[in-house]
Amino acid sequence: MDKTDMQEEDTKHPMFVTALARGLEILKCFTADRQELGTTEIARETGLAQSTVWRLCYTLTTLGYLVPGRTPDRLRIGAGVLLLGHAAITHTGIAEFAQPLMKELADSFEVSVSLGERYRDGMVIVQRSEARGILSVNLHVGSSLDLANSSLGWAYLAAIGDEAREALMAKLQASAPDEWEAKSRDIAEAIRNYRRSGFVFNLGKSHRDINAIGVPVISADGKRVMALTCGGARSHMTRERLVSVLVPELQALAQRIAPLIPVDEPGGARRKR
């Protein structure tokens, strides 16, 4: 099981339900690139015994979180998971509020715009808008981007506190030591640019034909950070156009979205919107 954000003592706590954790790990095996999986693939991915995978998949299928694939020996995500995902994306109103604003920016400047939130070692896209006819990449709501190798991830890393960043970067290094030298250079460059100018660059590093910028979206109390990014084809979205035209637009969009991020009041009460 993936315990990237979980201490070993947490999993041994008497309140920790191992069977539930294992079931959730199975659901996480399904991605946009792996929409259908067999139980053997799931067992290999999770490290669970085949018999355990069979029992858990039977339970998840019974509850509607998994459904049969195109062939009887394969499974895919069911409506139950989609409903949970929709609730997670819209529970704060951020994604719903941001969508028309992001669409306006995307259509006006012929770019793609993504809003993301950190989950473990990735940035999950919670809202996205693309102008028609632009060079498109295979990204959509629910896609996860590498925290260490994306403008969404760099904007997030640049905006969080030094202590939190150092701890997270140590985890990222441990998960991909062979790639860390190059990734750490890119992160350091992004942080320098953010401290100097308030945004991060990604000029063809994640996708050789795409230039992008990213900015953080920070809650009023500074405790929660999301990120926005926008970009397009390098031939159209030059560095100069990104800086002179898109940076102020994206920063203004971040300022409009930030107040929607829930804030914890003293005593644990949520601020009412």
Side-chain angles (χ1 to χ4, degrees):
M1 292 170 60
D2 183 356
K3 300 188 180 71
T4 305
D5 269 359
M6 220 182 297
Q7 300 296 326
E8 185 175 354
E9 57 266 27
D10 294 334
T11 66
K12 293 181 179 179
H13 193 281
M15 295 294 288
F16 186 83
V17 182
T18 301
L20 174 59
R22 288 173 172 173
L24 294 174
E25 291 299 322
I26 285 177
L27 294 178
K28 283 163 48 187
C29 291
F30 295 85
T31 68
D33 296 325
R34 297 181 301 180
Q35 296 184 16
E36 294 193 3
L37 296 171
T39 55
T40 300
E41 294 169 291
I42 294 171
R44 183 171 59 248
E45 180 72 17
T46 59
L48 297 173
Q50 186 77 54
S51 57
T52 300
V53 171
W54 285 334
R55 292 197 302 273
L56 291 171
C57 285
Y58 176 82
T59 302
L60 292 168
T61 301
T62 301
L63 296 173
Y65 295 114
L66 292 178
V67 296
R70 285 170 289 186
T71 58
D73 60 336
R74 302 186 72 76
L75 296 165
R76 60 183 174 86
I77 290 295
V81 173
L82 299 179
L83 289 173
L84 289 176
H86 183 266
I89 290 169
T90 61
H91 79 285
T92 64
I94 294 174
E96 182 179 359
F97 176 83
Q99 199 280 328
L101 302 177
M102 293 169 62
K103 185 177 189 304
E104 181 181 0
L105 178 60
D107 290 343
S108 296
F109 298 97
E110 298 182 311
V111 294
S112 63
V113 185
S114 295
L115 174 66
E117 184 167 21
R118 182 202 162 201
Y119 179 70
R120 295 192 174 179
D121 58 354
M123 292 295 290
V124 177
I125 295 176
V126 299
Q127 189 58 271
R128 182 170 170 85
S129 186
E130 286 186 351
R132 291 184 178 180
I134 68 168
L135 177 63
S136 181
V137 293
N138 186 26
L139 294 176
H140 49 78
V141 172
S143 293
S144 181
L145 298 177
D146 187 350
L147 192 61
N149 190 36
S150 66
S151 48
L152 276 177
W154 295 341
Y156 173 86
L157 287 168
I160 62 176
D162 292 342
E163 185 176 342
R165 185 189 308 110
E166 289 174 8
L168 182 52
M169 288 179 67
K171 291 182 179 181
L172 295 173
Q173 181 178 8
S175 66
D178 294 340
E179 305 168 10
W180 185 244
E181 184 177 353
K183 287 185 175 183
S184 62
R185 283 199 304 267
D186 289 340
I187 293 171
E189 180 182 348
I191 292 172
R192 285 194 298 271
N193 201 80
Y194 174 73
R195 289 175 175 171
R196 182 173 59 246
S197 307
F199 65 94
V200 301
F201 270 124
N202 189 335
L203 303 178
K205 290 184 176 179
S206 298
H207 189 293
R208 66 180 184 179
D209 296 320
I210 301 292
N211 282 346
I213 53 170
V215 299
V217 186
I218 305 172
S219 64
D221 61 358
K223 293 181 178 180
R224 184 176 171 193
V225 178
M226 301 177 73
L228 276 168
T229 187
C230 74
R234 295 181 68 176
S235 58
H236 172 65
M237 202 53 56
T238 63
R239 179 188 182 107
E240 292 71 24
R241 188 163 190 259
L242 284 170
V243 173
S244 62
V245 178
L246 271 303
V247 166
E249 294 288 341
L250 197 63
Q251 290 174 330
L253 178 57
Q255 290 175 2
R256 296 183 70 180
I257 295 173
L260 271 291
I261 300 178
V263 174
D264 285 330
E265 297 288 5
R270 285 284 189 191
R271 176 183 292 178
K272 293 181 180 180
R273 298 289 178 188

